[in-house]
Amino acid sequence: MARSKAEAHISAMQNRLSRNLGVFGLLSVVAFAACEGDEGPGGPSGGAGPAGPAGPAGEQGPAGGQGPAGGQGPAGPGGVDQSLAPAAKLVTGFGGAQALSGLTSLSVEAKGTRWMIGEGYAPEDEPLPAGTYELKALWDIQGNDLRLDYQRTLLGFFPGEMTYSEILRDDGGYRVGVDSVFGGGDGPLTSDRWASGRRHQRLLHPELIARDIAADASRAAEAGAGVLGGVLHHRLEVSDPVAPLTLWVEAASGRLAKISTLENEHGSGDVPLEVFYTDWAPVAGGPAVPRHVVVSLNGHVVEDETRSVVTANAALGADAFAPPGGAAVGPVDAALAERGENTSQFHQQFVGVGIPLDGLQATVQAVELSPKVWHIRTGSHNSLVVEQQAGVVVIEAPLYPVRSDALLDWIGTQVPGKPVTHVVATHFHDDHSGGLRSFVAAGAKVVAGEAAVGYYREIFRARRTVEPDALAESPRPAVLQGVAPGAKVVLDDAARPVSIYTIDTEHAADMLVAEVGGAVFVSDLYNPGLPGGILTWLLELRSSVQGQGVPVTSYVGGHGTTSTPADLDKLIDDLTP
């Protein structure tokens, strides 16, 4: 069976660890193994577990009792009693029920890397580096409160450094510092961001899930056997508010290798979410924990975290989870929190690149630019709505179906009796195409750059059970019209024809702009009315527009507001070295 990209990533990390494990590393492994027990048989072949390199004692390993890893150190967990049920093996692999039930707090110091899917040049591209981070996490397990202190180095579209904290208490969230390249500061976290962070951290720390199973084994239902890397694993299914969690427990050792589940991506629907655990080590006074965790979304690695320090059951300061100045957290909006859980990686990816997209943008703010032409501004992302004789054309369906549903309701009130005939996708990036499915469900033809037509066909057919939308509830085939590079498509009308042009840019292979009455709608390449920009993209836009003879009198932004060609020229001059 072919390995997933995430499994290959794990294997490469293990091989690198094995190559770099010198004499000092071997002595460390011996020290870990010696701490695990006093008597009892060693484990088989010292390298069977997901932690990678073989233990120093070869086939038998150093003498050891049952211990949290069955008599072996973190480099190669030994065997567990094969008469145990899979849930009992899992608990044993974490160090036993007592170690788990006695866990009252965790303190973790870690470093990691985030990647971002769905934002490359072409739909099939690998994820882009979002940034690296250093993290100190405090978790009051009894009180169910969490604090994350981040130092991020952004590597995406807006490189920079950010230091901030997320307080994710049981009763709501609070941010201390600035987590966005666009500014901000201290204040409550929206309920979707709060729920996203809590779900994400729970999956990064499977000892918390195992603790629940140790308290009540009925939480984990046996789901048959599976094979990972040629090794037999038990599968346990645990209920979860989003989708069931499948725990892959190595049959020989009781070690947890991965958790697999589903989550919603706004454009793609149901996507697999997998979290892999390796480099296991016991924690003094607590359970064994993974020191290396890798997160995979839809087959792509999106996070790789390594823990240098893990402390169990330390006393936490009384103010560790208190917002500064006595500020309040919450209250939690249950519906918004549910959305955050369903789409946790959407939030984690965008905050990881310094552009949080928290909260729900579904309030239509319409600015009429000219008769029957409206600029729809709903927060960070915009659309253009054009009424024609035969119906309505919408340019850009960003973010998520809920936003598109609100826009469709507005159109039904503003332009009663006229259908949306076309929706134009400026480019495939997730934050600019996540609402297209609602327009497909409404019967609109999708006009898109040729490079993304195949991608759109896939996402319009995708299953969507985690968070069903209108297309999932009333499926219908999508009608797509591709625009070839250098071509021009006109959606004709006696009063307000819409002309669609391709743009040759390094930002996206399928980039389009749409022109109506001299107003040119553009996304990402130029953000009218907002400061700054990326010089290369601005030059590409101007060159393509001029080269194709686009009759531009104003630019209308997928972000921002409106401006003139002279404003674009001035911005280019200001940014040119």
Side-chain angles (χ1 to χ4, degrees):
M1 182 186 301
R3 295 185 302 175
S4 71
K5 293 178 181 178
E7 289 171 320
H9 180 89
I10 288 283
S11 178
M13 292 294 293
Q14 290 177 320
N15 291 338
R16 190 178 307 131
L17 176 62
S18 180
R19 291 194 301 270
N20 293 338
L21 191 64
V23 173
F24 179 79
L26 291 174
L27 292 175
S28 299
V29 170
V30 173
F32 272 123
C35 292
E36 298 236 354
D38 296 322
E39 296 181 9
S45 76
E59 291 296 318
Q60 290 298 318
Q66 184 62 36
Q72 272 280 8
V80 296
D81 183 350
Q82 293 302 297
S83 68
L84 293 175
K89 286 185 180 182
L90 172 74
V91 171
T92 301
F94 274 92
Q98 185 174 352
L100 287 166
S101 64
L103 187 61
T104 60
S105 70
L106 278 174
S107 175
V108 179
E109 295 180 21
K111 293 184 178 181
T113 302
R114 286 285 319 188
W115 289 267
M116 193 171 210
I117 64 173
E119 297 289 328
Y121 176 69
E124 63 272 15
D125 283 357
E126 291 298 307
L128 296 175
T132 61
Y133 63 85
E134 296 183 9
L135 168 66
K136 183 172 182 180
L138 298 176
W139 206 318
D140 177 357
I141 294 168
Q142 290 180 317
N144 201 20
D145 295 333
L146 173 64
R147 181 187 180 104
L148 306 172
D149 296 324
Y150 278 108
Q151 172 65 54
R152 288 194 186 272
T153 299
L154 305 180
L155 303 174
F157 300 132
F158 303 99
E161 303 283 337
M162 289 191 166
T163 301
Y164 65 93
S165 299
E166 297 177 14
I167 298 173
L168 305 175
R169 291 194 336 204
D170 185 62
D171 57 346
Y174 197 89
R175 177 186 56 254
V176 182
V178 178
D179 62 356
S180 170
V181 297
F182 300 112
D186 295 6
L189 286 174
T190 59
S191 293
D192 50 354
R193 170 77 173 279
W194 168 82
S196 162
R198 286 174 65 89
R199 180 172 197 256
H200 181 61
Q201 290 298 318
R202 182 171 173 81
L203 289 173
L204 291 182
H205 291 278
E207 58 271 20
L208 303 181
I209 299 170
R211 184 176 183 266
D212 291 342
I213 296 171
D216 181 2
S218 68
R219 292 175 182 266
E222 295 185 22
V227 176
L228 285 178
V231 177
L232 180 66
H233 287 70
H234 301 296
R235 293 187 298 179
L236 296 172
E237 187 172 286
V238 176
S239 63
D240 179 80
V242 177
L245 308 179
T246 300
L247 281 58
W248 294 69
V249 182
E250 190 183 65
S253 69
R255 282 289 195 241
L256 179 65
K258 78 168 179 176
I259 291 178
S260 55
T261 185
L262 292 176
E263 111 161 18
N264 180 60
E265 278 287 290
H266 295 303
S268 303
D270 295 351
V271 294
L273 176 63
E274 298 176 295
V275 188
F276 297 81
Y277 311 99
T278 60
D279 193 15
W280 288 83
V283 176
V289 299
R291 301 294 183 115
H292 182 210
V293 181
V294 171
V295 181
S296 167
L297 184 66
N298 205 18
H300 298 284
V301 172
V302 293
E303 185 165 11
D304 187 327
E305 179 174 294
T306 301
R307 291 83 183 261
S308 57
V309 177
V310 181
T311 304
N313 304 328
L316 303 177
D319 61 348
F321 308 101
V329 302
V332 174
D333 180 309
L336 193 55
E338 181 180 0
R339 286 178 54 81
E341 285 191 317
N342 290 344
T343 56
S344 71
Q345 290 305 309
F346 170 82
H347 292 278
Q348 296 304 308
Q349 288 194 107
F350 278 98
V351 75
V353 80
I355 311 174
L357 291 177
D358 305 336
L360 186 60
Q361 299 184 33
T363 302
V364 175
Q365 300 176 3
V367 177
E368 192 166 17
L369 303 179
S370 60
K372 309 297 185 181
V373 178
W374 297 273
H375 193 202
I376 306 300
R377 303 171 184 174
T378 55
S380 62
H381 291 64
N382 306 325
S383 302
L384 194 68
V385 172
V386 181
E387 181 183 349
Q388 295 185 327
Q389 184 175 353
V392 176
V393 175
V394 175
I395 297 104
E396 194 90 306
L399 294 176
Y400 26 71
V402 173
R403 193 247 189 217
S404 291
D405 295 342
L407 181 53
L408 282 165
D409 288 344
W410 180 88
I411 292 170
T413 300
Q414 185 71 33
V415 192
K418 286 192 175 182
V420 176
T421 59
H422 298 81
V423 59
V424 179
T426 64
H427 62 302
F428 73 91
H429 289 173
D430 287 349
D431 60 315
H432 287 274
S433 63
L436 285 171
R437 287 173 54 99
S438 292
F439 289 99
V440 173
K445 176 185 285 189
V446 178
V447 182
E450 194 173 68
V453 167
Y455 166 76
Y456 287 133
R457 291 193 190 281
E458 289 182 9
I459 68 172
F460 297 150
R461 291 194 297 257
R463 285 173 53 84
R464 198 179 186 98
T465 62
V466 173
E467 197 168 272
D469 60 3
L471 189 58
E473 293 170 350
S474 300
R476 66 187 301 164
V479 179
L480 290 103
Q481 180 176 357
V483 185
K488 172 185 175 182
V489 169
V490 178
L491 307 179
D492 209 3
D493 182 73
R496 284 172 290 278
V498 176
S499 299
I500 302 161
Y501 301 83
T502 63
I503 300 294
D504 185 10
T505 171
E506 66 179 25
H507 184 54
D510 62 325
M511 182 63 75
L512 303 178
V513 298
E515 178 269 330
V516 55
V520 173
F521 185 91
V522 56
S523 281
D524 281 356
L525 305 182
Y526 178 35
N527 304 313
L530 297 179
I534 295 177
L535 180 59
T536 300
W537 299 353
L538 298 169
L539 290 169
E540 290 168 341
L541 171 66
R542 186 172 69 177
S543 175
S544 289
V545 166
Q546 291 177 347
Q548 296 177 82
V550 180
V552 54
T553 57
S554 67
Y555 286 102
V556 182
H559 306 291
T561 56
T562 60
S563 70
T564 67
D567 294 325
L568 173 61
D569 292 340
K570 183 178 186 305
L571 180 58
I572 289 173
D573 289 342
D574 291 343
L575 293 175
T576 301

